[in-house]
Amino acid sequence: MGVIMELKTQSQHKAEITVVIIALLAFVVGLVGHLAGASFANSDAFGYIAAPIPLITGIIAFVAYKIAEKGDH
């Protein structure tokens, strides 16, 4: 094949797993926000759940970026 594969260090492997878990968390938070937003007409309580979802997702993305940045070295 001619492709030389570099082995990942332990910290890179751990960072990748952590970022994947954080991505799944972001997906679940987004899904809950979407479902709460879709149910907005049924109850005002769902609005309180859906409102902070963009901020929470942004914080999760920032944390994932910082962890991935650390694992890149």
Side-chain angles (χ1 to χ4, degrees), residues 19 22 26 54-70:
V19 169
I22 290 173
L55 176 64
I56 294 169
T57 306
I59 291 170
I60 291 171
F62 180 74
V63 169
Y65 173 77
K66 287 298 185 184
I67 290 173
E69 186 179 48
K70 276 186 177 179

Side-chain angles (χ1 to χ4, degrees), residues 21-55:
I21 290 171
I22 290 173
L24 288 172
L25 176 66
F27 173 75
V28 169
V29 167
L31 182 63
V32 168
H34 174 73
L35 292 174
S39 300
F40 198 103
N42 294 337
S43 172
D44 287 339
F46 288 117
Y48 294 118
I49 296 170
I53 294 299
L55 176 64

